[in-house]
Amino acid sequence: MERETRAEWRRGWPLVVAAMLGIGFGPGLFQNLSSLFLSGMTTEFGWSRGEVATAAAIGLLGGLVAPFLGRLADRIGIRPVIVGAMLLLGATYVGLARQGGMLIHYQMLVAMLAFAVPGTSSVVYGKLVAACFVRRRGLALGIATSGLSVTTLAMPPLVGLAIDAQGWRGGLYVLAASTVLIALPLVLFLIRRVPATPTARTVDAVDADTPVAGFTGPEARRDPRFWLLAVGVAMVNLASVGLVTQMVPFGTERGLSVGQATLLLTSYGVSQVVGRLSIGMLVDRMAPQGVAAGVALLSAAGFAALLIPEPGFVLALAFVFAAGLMNGADNDLLPFLTARLFGLRAYGEIYGSILPIALAGTAAGIVAFGRLHDVYGRYDPALIVAAVALTVSGLCFFLLRERPLPAAQGAAHP
């Protein structure tokens, strides 16, 4: 058993590193760092926080293309999808940096960010990792998807320096260069051993007739577990993404300095790394549904604790850490549970079908935190909504039940 585990890591570590880079420099990074740009945009263009939040949420409708791109990745392979997505992402950052202040343009550009999600997420990377790892799939996916947490920790100082020197537009140019000139070439180098059109369950198997067990896309969508999983992840996104997009102004309203409020992003990023690695190790050894439900309730408690008016810097860091443990479930828990519950036969299509629902939760959270602040002048109502959403998410994960996968049929299409 130990020998097989080591063999998995020898074979699959380049894919794990590639996923870390691809996901880490995906559109989620802009979401996590968006509060760094918020003050500059609102000051220059006269937008309110609610208007920025609503514009960003409307733009996420671009995620509706995810099922089609997931199916495309199943059929033509992951390289074209990855290259197209990362080039689009770099171009979008340049577009955001050059925008002139019309909200409709901002909405369109955020929609382009959403178009890039399938090619920079577990739609493509999750399938590669899940196909290569069996015994330590949870840990491998946890490490792979922690790339976003790592970049959230590493990039704020660099982006902040660019903003100090060149304004908020300079920070966007840094994101564009990092994505296209650094992340993309490294990803392509690391996945060079993967067949251009992968048709087997591991990177070493290339027999196009290898059958893959699992549900088809339509079969999965008729299964109640599909909807429980989708709603569970959407509720996580509603809570966690809504907070991170308002983190810096939230911190200052809780009595922290701008520097201390910026460090809340660091605490949030650390919690993502700890959460993903811990969850990854636990789901390999325990019932994954119970693990997901338990961590969701812990995050709900973190949001409830953030209702304290002025908790002080240390407690604020601790509460933000707890609140962020479930952030990014669409990148780690979702691929693990999708592969476990529905198999790899139509993984890209199934994952891609859930993703728009998850992004709807993201959009709702962004709107809620921005608009509720505009209405009430404080973040408390949004924090209550987030705590309730995470409680609902925990219930959804707890209710998931496993069934035997349908027998393998036809050729494999990983």
Side-chain angles (χ1 to χ4, degrees):
M1 180 181 298
E2 188 62 31
R3 180 179 299 175
E4 292 175 1
T5 299
R6 288 197 298 268
E8 281 187 347
W9 283 107
R10 282 197 302 270
R11 182 175 63 241
W13 73 263
L15 302 183
V16 172
V17 176
M20 288 183 69
L21 288 166
I23 295 171
F25 283 93
L29 180 60
F30 177 76
Q31 280 185 348
N32 288 358
L33 302 186
S34 59
S35 61
L36 296 175
F37 305 102
L38 184 60
S39 296
M41 288 186 183
T42 54
T43 300
E44 181 171 340
F45 300 140
W47 298 340
S48 73
R49 295 179 192 176
E51 286 174 330
V52 174
T54 302
I58 292 172
L60 287 173
L61 291 174
L64 293 173
V65 303
F68 307 103
L69 293 179
R71 183 181 299 176
L72 186 66
D74 283 335
R75 296 187 176 182
I76 71 170
I78 54 115
R79 272 195 192 82
V81 177
I82 288 173
V83 172
M86 296 192 81
L87 291 177
L88 175 63
L89 184 56
T92 303
Y93 285 141
V94 173
L96 284 167
R98 296 174 65 85
Q99 65 181 308
M102 294 183 63
L103 270 176
I104 184 63
H105 291 167
Y106 184 72
Q107 291 170 357
M108 293 171 63
L109 288 163
V110 175
M112 290 177 65
L113 288 176
F115 290 152
V117 167
T120 55
S121 71
S122 292
V123 172
V124 290
Y125 296 110
K127 187 167 190 177
L128 282 178
V129 174
C132 193
F133 288 85
V134 177
R135 298 186 181 278
R136 292 295 179 264
R137 178 180 289 173
L139 179 58
L141 284 169
I143 295 172
T145 58
S146 69
L148 180 57
S149 307
V150 173
T151 54
T152 299
L153 285 170
M155 292 300 291
L158 181 61
V159 173
L161 287 174
I163 291 174
D164 289 341
Q166 301 292 331
W168 61 270
R169 299 176 192 270
L172 288 164
Y173 284 125
V174 167
L175 291 179
S178 300
T179 300
V180 175
L181 302 180
I182 299 175
L184 178 57
L186 287 173
V187 167
L188 293 177
F189 175 77
L190 288 164
I191 65 171
R192 65 194 186 283
R193 292 179 56 207
V194 178
T197 306
T199 54
R201 288 187 292 178
T202 74
V203 294
D204 291 329
V206 292
D207 181 2
D209 295 324
T210 302
V212 176
F215 290 76
T216 64
E219 288 171 343
R221 288 187 287 270
R222 290 193 295 267
D223 191 318
R225 299 175 303 164
F226 173 94
W227 299 102
L228 281 172
L229 181 56
V231 171
V233 174
M235 291 297 99
V236 171
N237 286 358
L238 186 154
S240 57
V241 178
L243 175 62
V244 77
T245 57
Q246 301 281 332
M247 187 69 78
V248 173
F250 165 79
T252 56
E253 287 194 5
R254 284 298 192 264
L256 305 180
S257 68
V258 174
Q260 290 174 326
T262 301
L263 287 176
L264 293 181
L265 284 172
T266 301
S267 179
Y268 205 74
V270 171
S271 75
Q272 288 178 297
V273 174
V274 173
R276 287 173 178 177
L277 295 182
S278 300
I279 290 171
M281 289 187 287
L282 289 173
V283 297
D284 284 333
R285 295 167 172 82
M286 302 169 63
Q289 299 89 334
V291 172
V295 179
L297 293 178
L298 180 58
S299 285
F303 274 95
L306 286 171
L307 288 165
I308 297 174
E310 292 190 16
F313 179 54
V314 174
L315 282 180
L317 287 174
F319 296 156
V320 165
F321 179 90
L325 287 171
M326 281 293 284
N327 181 248
D330 52 337
N331 266 325
D332 52 5
L333 269 175
L334 180 54
F336 180 89
L337 290 171
T338 298
R340 188 179 182 101
L341 298 176
F342 304 111
L344 297 180
R345 181 180 179 188
Y347 172 93
E349 181 181 351
I350 296 169
Y351 186 105
S353 297
I354 295 176
L355 197 56
I357 303 171
L359 289 176
T362 299
I366 293 173
V367 171
F369 271 78
R371 289 296 184 183
L372 287 175
H373 184 276
D374 285 353
V375 173
Y376 294 99
R378 62 187 190 276
Y379 286 106
D380 290 13
L383 292 172
I384 293 171
V385 170
V388 172
L390 279 162
T391 303
V392 172
S393 173
L395 179 61
C396 290
F397 290 132
F398 181 76
L399 292 175
L400 290 172
R401 294 293 180 266
E402 296 186 36
R403 300 203 309 264
L405 295 175
Q409 296 179 11
H413 294 287

